[in-house]
Amino acid sequence: MECNGCEFNPELYYDAEYQIWLRREHDDSLTVGMTDISQTIAGKILHVRVRRPGTIRTPGKPVATIESGKWAGPIPNFMHCTILEGNPEVLENPVLLNSDPYNAWIARVEAAHSADHALEQFLTGDAAYEGYCKRARDEDIHCQRKVR
Amino acid sequence: MMVDIDQYLDNEEQTVVIVMTSGPSAPNRCATPFYLGSVLASMDIEVHIFFTMEGVRLMEKGVAEELAAIEGGKRIIEFIRDAKRAGVTLHVCQPALPGYRIEPASDLIDEVDRVARASELADLVLRCDKVITF
């Protein structure tokens, strides 16, 4: 599925601004990544740094820091969680976030209560698709996943 | 694949004040403070940018919207908005405004958090961990 060329996966969970996606893993941990919209806005990503494993994050405290040639900022976090690991492939080769945003996860976290509880505040499925498309259309965002 | 330990963030929470004196007459100096502020804020640093001297002009409506650090580059207003989204606080020096005929009530962009006296800059500098000037 896509909108304005921006890829969308209905099985993932998204924040209200469609900056990040989350996926529940088999062990009930959550992987966090950037949406196609986010990587497009950022441009070619040059550097990623994740909070040290074991670090407790509260809502509003970022999971990671991203730098591109024209943008710098956080990978936002909306829940109480503990960092389990960063994705070594992405840390080594950040441009994967541009070329394959839904496979190139950035960090794996453990929610403080449960994955179910944490995911309640995120959007998924048709509702998420509607909001995702609205943002792409309203802001005239046309995604490109080729390395720029 | 092993992760280089330097690729993980493990800094203490600190407060950094960026004193911005450069303005539209030196556009090449006008993006970096916001970019650096965004990076620091996303590392859990409390970041304050205090605009004084010609720096106050970057907070004047219509200036940052038309300005880029390099020809054809990203507009300064976008760097300002990135910094705000990352959590940076923007202070404008009240005593510097009359010299540029800037009226605080009507001429400043919405992104400004505070119009502040010099004593507030003094307080910020005295209680922060690091000061950077541009």
Side-chain angles (χ1 to χ4, degrees):
Chain A
M1 298 172 80
E2 61 173 48
C3 296
N4 278 4
C6 299
E7 191 181 331
F8 176 85
N9 284 352
E11 70 275 13
L12 300 176
Y13 290 79
Y14 300 86
D15 68 289
E17 293 183 39
Y18 305 94
Q19 303 166 92
I20 61 162
W21 57 260
L22 295 108
R23 182 174 58 226
R24 184 209 308 267
E25 302 300 335
H26 299 304
D27 61 357
D28 234 25
S29 65
L30 299 168
T31 42
V32 182
M34 287 176 96
T35 62
D36 203 1
I37 284 176
S38 286
Q39 71 81 15
T40 296
I41 290 169
K44 184 180 178 182
I45 294 162
L46 305 172
H47 196 52
V48 180
R49 293 177 79 197
V50 175
R51 277 274 148 200
R52 183 174 49 81
T55 308
I56 294 170
R57 301 274 79 191
T58 54
K61 292 291 187 182
V63 165
T65 300
I66 303 281
E67 284 182 71
S68 69
K70 62 176 185 178
W71 181 83
I75 294 297
N77 167 51
F78 303 92
M79 59 189 169
H80 292 271
C81 64
T82 303
I83 304 289
L84 297 175
E85 63 173 334
N87 182 346
E89 291 181 347
V90 163
L91 293 173
E92 196 59 44
N93 188 17
V95 82
L96 289 171
L97 296 172
N98 298 115
S99 59
D100 196 8
Y102 295 107
N103 285 312
W105 56 275
I106 296 167
R108 194 165 64 86
V109 305
E110 180 179 40
H113 304 295
S114 69
D116 280 340
H117 182 265
L119 290 172
E120 282 174 4
Q121 65 180 306
F122 295 97
L123 296 151
T124 190
D126 290 345
Y129 183 59
E130 194 176 312
Y132 187 86
C133 289
K134 184 176 188 305
R135 183 175 178 199
R137 283 195 304 266
D138 288 355
E139 299 182 29
D140 198 28
I141 299 165
H142 295 264
C143 294
Q144 46 180 313
R145 287 174 294 281
K146 65 178 184 291
V147 176
R148 283 143 282 173
Chain B
M1 184 186 283
M2 290 292 291
V3 174
D4 177 351
I5 197 69
D6 289 341
Q7 290 173 313
Y8 280 123
L9 282 165
D10 194 23
N11 56 287
E12 295 290 315
E13 292 191 21
Q14 295 185 35
T15 301
V16 171
V17 174
I18 295 172
V19 182
M20 181 59 172
T21 63
S22 301
S25 68
N28 58 314
R29 299 177 64 86
C30 291
T32 301
F34 301 108
Y35 188 92
L36 180 59
S38 299
V39 172
L40 287 164
S42 62
M43 293 170 66
D44 284 358
I45 305 297
E46 182 184 317
V47 183
H48 299 267
I49 304 181
F50 196 101
F51 299 88
T52 187
M53 302 178 198
E54 199 200 341
V56 299
R57 289 218 52 222
L58 295 179
M59 296 292 103
E60 184 181 4
K61 283 178 184 171
V63 174
E65 291 90 334
E66 303 298 325
L67 192 69
I70 54 171
E71 195 173 341
K74 180 173 164 178
R75 292 170 310 143
I76 300 302
I77 191 70
E78 299 300 331
F79 283 100
I80 292 170
R81 289 173 181 157
D82 289 346
K84 287 287 294 183
R85 272 192 290 271
V88 174
T89 305
L90 305 182
H91 308 254
V92 175
C93 179
Q94 192 275 330
L97 296 178
Y100 295 96
R101 294 191 175 84
I102 296 171
E103 184 58 50
S106 57
D107 296 342
L108 296 175
I109 58 175
D110 294 340
E111 284 76 10
V112 171
D113 290 291
R114 290 184 57 78
V115 177
R117 304 289 312 173
S119 56
E120 291 183 59
L121 173 59
D123 286 339
L124 279 173
V125 166
L126 291 172
R127 72 172 174 85
C128 77
D129 296 288
K130 305 277 191 308
V131 177
I132 304 169
T133 57
F134 285 97

